[in-house]
Amino acid sequence: MFAIVQAAGWPIWPLLLASVISVALIIERLFTLRRRKIVPPGLLQQAVNEFRRGADNSTLLDALDRHSPLGRVLAAGLRNVDNSREVMKESIEEAGAAVTHELSRYLTTLGTIASISPLMGLFGTVIGMIEIFASQAPGTGSPQQLAHGISIALYNTGFGIFIAIPSMIFWRHFRALVDGFVVEMEQQAIRLVEVMHGDRK
């Protein structure tokens, strides 16, 4: 591995840094964006039942707020249950916007890495080509310099593409996952409003 890094020259170091960041973000998002952690099953019904018992709703809402992203959205609605449907919906929308922003954390960085990695590889290719042409100046031709320039060009191009492909795949996967969670939370929030205002049982 170290021999490859040496052959690729100094342009490989930004690519290596990008690959480390990409892997770290993918692992973090895989751990964070789990369905049971974001939209736990049965949470809506459990929250409504506990709230209607009315023992200590402030404690219930605080616990619900800390429970999960869906819990934060439901807690925002239940805090305004005595107000009109419009006020309740507005509070849910505000909480939902904050939750959506939190779920999308780091995805911009991952998408940026997926986009710029081929360009960083191309930059390494240009550096390699410069070295190749420099080695072919009259009276200074050197097979070693030619081989080194070709190594820089090919290794950087290949490594840039190698980083970009999984980064793009996971970026699109996480974006679709977040969109699905947001739709599911919206549906449950609408159901909460209808249940608490007597439109549903």
Side-chain angles (χ1 to χ4, degrees), residues 124-189:
T125 303
V126 171
I127 297 297
M129 296 301 291
I130 291 171
E131 291 207 10
I132 289 172
F133 287 116
S135 70
Q136 299 305 305
T140 59
S142 168
Q144 288 81 12
Q145 282 184 314
L146 179 62
H148 182 64
I150 293 172
S151 294
I152 292 176
L154 294 180
Y155 276 126
N156 281 280
T157 303
F159 201 62
I161 295 170
F162 180 74
I163 295 169
I165 291 172
S167 297
M168 181 62 74
I169 290 170
F170 278 102
W171 175 72
R172 292 180 68 87
H173 169 69
F174 292 142
R175 284 290 301 272
L177 208 57
V178 169
D179 290 344
F181 288 148
V182 169
V183 169
E184 193 167 342
M185 284 190 286
E186 284 176 354
Q187 291 174 340
Q188 297 214 34

Side-chain angles (χ1 to χ4, degrees), residues 29-43:
R29 290 289 90 185
L30 283 172
F31 178 77
T32 302
L33 297 177
R34 292 176 294 169
R35 176 168 296 277
R36 294 184 64 85
K37 192 173 180 181
I38 306 299
V39 284
L43 182 63

Side-chain angles (χ1 to χ4, degrees), residues 6-185:
Q6 280 185 315
W10 66 265
I12 199 75
W13 291 107
L15 282 167
L16 286 173
L17 178 62
S19 70
V20 170
I21 295 171
S22 178
V23 169
L25 293 180
I26 289 169
I27 292 172
E28 190 277 339
R29 290 289 90 185
L30 283 172
F31 178 77
T32 302
L33 297 177
R34 292 176 294 169
R35 176 168 296 277
R36 294 184 64 85
K37 192 173 180 181
I38 306 299
V39 284
L43 182 63
L44 172 61
Q45 194 60 49
Q46 180 185 346
V48 169
N49 291 340
E50 291 289 332
F51 188 84
R52 282 176 170 167
R53 287 194 191 120
D56 188 358
N57 284 337
S58 60
T59 304
L60 166 67
L61 294 176
D62 289 341
L64 196 60
D65 208 15
R66 295 189 300 269
H67 183 271
S68 62
L70 175 60
R72 280 175 61 185
V73 172
L74 298 179
L78 290 172
R79 282 194 178 94
N80 292 275
V81 73
D82 294 328
N83 297 316
S84 65
R85 290 170 62 100
E86 288 70 26
V87 172
M88 192 174 176
K89 283 183 177 180
E90 283 177 10
S91 64
I92 287 172
E93 286 172 2
E94 289 173 5
V99 166
T100 302
H101 178 72
E102 185 178 313
L103 293 179
S104 300
R105 190 192 312 173
Y106 306 133
L107 294 189
T108 301
T109 305
L110 187 61
T112 301
I113 290 173
S115 300
I116 69 169
S117 292
L119 296 177
M120 293 166 71
L122 182 61
F123 174 72
T125 303
V126 171
I127 297 297
M129 296 301 291
I130 291 171
E131 291 207 10
I132 289 172
F133 287 116
S135 70
Q136 299 305 305
T140 59
S142 168
Q144 288 81 12
Q145 282 184 314
L146 179 62
H148 182 64
I150 293 172
S151 294
I152 292 176
L154 294 180
Y155 276 126
N156 281 280
T157 303
F159 201 62
I161 295 170
F162 180 74
I163 295 169
I165 291 172
S167 297
M168 181 62 74
I169 290 170
F170 278 102
W171 175 72
R172 292 180 68 87
H173 169 69
F174 292 142
R175 284 290 301 272
L177 208 57
V178 169
D179 290 344
F181 288 148
V182 169
V183 169
E184 193 167 342
M185 284 190 286

